[in-house]
Amino acid sequence: MTWGANESTAAEFVALGRDRWLERQLHPGPKDRLPAAAQAIINGLPIAARPLTEIAWPLTAQQRNANQIPDPDQKKTLQQAFQQSLNELGRQAATRSLLRDLYSPDQLREKMTWFWFNHFNVHLYKSDIRETVGDYEEQLRHHALGHFRDLLRATAAHPAMLRYLDNAENAKGHINENYAREIMELHTMGVGSGYTQEDVQELARILTGVGVNFQPPDANAPKLDIMAQPDHVRAGLFEFNPARHDYGVKHFLGHTIEGRGFAEVEQALDILARHPATATYVSRKIATYFMSDTPPDALVQRMAQSFRSTDGDIVSVLLVMFKSPEFIGSLNAKTKYKDPMQFVLSAVRLAYDNKVILNAGPVLGWLNRLAQGLYNHPTPDGYPMTAAAWNSPGQMATRFEIARAIGSNAGGMFKAPPPDTAERPAFPQIASAFYFNAVQPTLSQATRSALDQAGSPQEWNALFLSSPEFMR
Amino acid sequence: MDRRSFLAGAAATVPMLVAGRVWAAPKADMRTLVVFLRGAYDATNVVIPVSSSFYYESRPTIAVPRPGSGAADAAVALTPDWGLHPALKDSLLPLWQKKQLAFVPFAGTADDLTRSHFETQDTIELGQPVHGTRNYNSGFLARLAAVLTRTKPIAYTEQLPLVLRGGHGIPNIGIASVGKPGVDDRQAKLIEGMYANDALGSAVSEGFKVRDDVYKTVSEEMAAADRGAVSAKGFELSARRIGRLMRDQFNLGFVDVGGWDTHVGQGGSTGYLAGRLGELGRALAGFAQEIGPQAWNDTLVVVISEFGRTFRENGNKGTDHGHGSVYWVLGGAVQGGRIAGEQVKVAQASLFQNRDYPVLTDYRALFGGLFARAYGLDQKLVQQVFPGVAPKDLALV
């Protein structure tokens, strides 16, 4: 339920008791409870201080300006500056995300935020998604423990998703069915759940005109005739443009959808969110994420039942799972093999607890080396959740390298990025009271024997973080 | 002795079968590399149906001009009906002219019509019947490795792909990012000790071994680069490393390269897709160069993709998910310089569902036929690799 146990989490768990701790995880307050040092870093990030439109509008102007410069060298310089602005925004989003993952006591919200991002995956390096990815993640986080329908709506109206799956290009007479297909295949019903190529094509028609507009409303309003104007929707960078929409009647999953603008999209999302296949597909994915490669089907069915009866209330679905004997059993048997995200974050959390890192760069680098970089899965299926994707020989060898870095010299995590570059060295402390009480008794003889041969505290840390026990 | 003359001279030699495994004859060990273009590359604009007026009608803004049309960036003639994308002229045309490169059009998954990248990639990598329960822990290259002896399989990828899952400790290595190991030999021994009784034990041992082998090879390349050699970038760098590793250490490999899902603004003779193709062409030529002429004669490279794209361009100067693709078969012993396999005239009437190339050569039948020839597998062993499939012998090796 967390990005890795450590002394702080254990202390809160003990203080509250299991039930109250779980209640708190499922219903975190609106405010972050981050350590002051972590909150201060986030507060210093420009993306945290300004809404997306205020970030995007000047950038769009900057880009247009660059493209209009006749001198090729000057143009190139300005275009590079624009790209650097985008890179910086992406980096800020990743920094905020990692700080919350590492230090928020409301761990379940952060775990679910990552889950939903992966479920509604977008790729940082496509188009201008670096600009919008931070806001996209904020929206997912806002609904992470809310209702599925709201998550679906938030993604369907977000410039990051509309760019990523090309729906910003989808218009009447210029159909692009990429997003329509992935909504059904990956976001809701799941492949092979009964929809047809015709359903994909009809949903693509419903989604025509659903796009983006990166300029202020007064600078770039579409020219619409008087009848179409009431259908026009603008919200931030999102735009529904009636002039690009196919107003014909659609036949989608057995429903007849009358052409009437963006309300068609809402109707289609209702149909998808309430489809029984969606309840099962999402429930199974959640259970796989938390429990094992093959979650028990009976439990998945109970979760899906809860999904249907609560209209996709995520907390209800999670509660069914967390309170089930199957879940307790999976914790005791340690059936879940850590993916790289869980491995790296749990290692940093255990080794450094609430000593706040100054530089997210090394952590992001390790995740990329392990092929599970933040926002860095190019295809919309998201990262796989099963062990076989992450326990191959090459993966294991790389994990040990990273365990060594985390366990010995912190790999630059406590050296602030330029221009500050101050280093406030931190020393990993795994062999704490938490370790001796909770971890050591679970170690095998082989692991203890290897740890006994460690030549230094750093080597001991590296070996512990490399142990079979720490991989689960 | 190259493979063809070896086969000619030893035609009577039947591969020895011991307990269902083939003991391939010495020096005739084949090397096979499968290159997966993830994202469904637009085959129609790479091996181009230049004699089809329907092609030019269907792609008003992204078609590649006919050979001899006078355009500077025209397609390069392969046959009267087919032309090659000009971005591949410098790298791959020489192989075609040496008859070491063949194209198999209308190839793909006969029984997977989902047009889903992920679904169809999985289908191909597993190589199992689509209907019925799939075993996600049994890829077709892992099954090939199991019926052969002396295979040293490896995936040159950060994660072990489905196609090589299910074997015993098949390694993978992220070929693009090889660095000097920080975990020393003593620490490696201690770590292996912790995993002695663990299910991941063999993966851990294999991981250290491959790490050391690959680092040795790559450090030679680094030493060369230090002496002023031009260093390759991107996929070409990876392919050149793979060439050296397959010359010396591994003989069954898999690598993937992404960036082919061109829904928007894919370009024609130049532009986005042309750039990706240029890099891919240089990579394959670089691979052939690094593996060296001797090993190249015993090497089979097959380039595949999950499906083709719509025959007509879409409203965004791109193409959407289609069906039939074009596969590439390369190698020193390939009977190439030809367009192989069953074909139809490219016209509206021959399109599948009036939008895509049909699939006339199933990927399993093609691989089955290639493996049968390259490794001397009999029908029974081909069936172990591809259950229920009749291999198609296109006489490519």
Side-chain angles (χ1 to χ4, degrees), chain B residues 286-311:
Chain B
F287 171 86
Q289 188 186 10
E290 295 291 346
I291 203 169
Q294 199 179 349
W296 179 242
N297 279 334
D298 287 332
T299 296
L300 184 61
V301 178
V302 188
V303 180
I304 62 173
S305 194
E306 62 265 36
F307 41 73
R309 308 191 69 84
T310 47
F311 191 80

Side-chain angles (χ1 to χ4, degrees), chain A residues 139-205:
Chain A
Q139 302 289 328
L140 293 170
R141 185 168 181 264
H142 182 69
H143 297 292
L145 295 165
H147 277 82
F148 182 77
R149 174 67 173 78
D150 295 330
L151 285 157
L152 190 58
R153 169 65 161 75
T155 56
H158 202 280
M161 178 59 79
L162 295 172
R163 279 271 206 255
Y164 177 59
L165 288 177
D166 303 318
N167 207 74
E169 318 283 339
N170 183 24
K172 185 181 183 181
H174 299 271
I175 290 287
N176 188 311
E177 60 190 44
N178 200 16
Y179 182 44
R181 181 185 309 283
E182 307 304 9
I183 287 183
M184 285 194 277
E185 177 179 329
L186 299 171
H187 299 166
T188 58
M189 296 169 61
V191 76
S193 56
Y195 61 85
T196 63
Q197 172 65 21
E198 284 68 42
D199 290 319
V200 171
Q201 287 166 351
E202 291 294 274
L203 183 56
R205 288 179 62 217

Side-chain angles (χ1 to χ4, degrees), chain B residues 217-239:
Chain B
T217 300
V218 171
S219 58
E220 286 163 9
E221 156 203 308
M222 287 168 177
D226 288 346
R227 289 195 299 270
V230 176
S231 55
K233 290 192 187 68
F235 189 57
E236 186 188 351
L237 173 65
S238 297

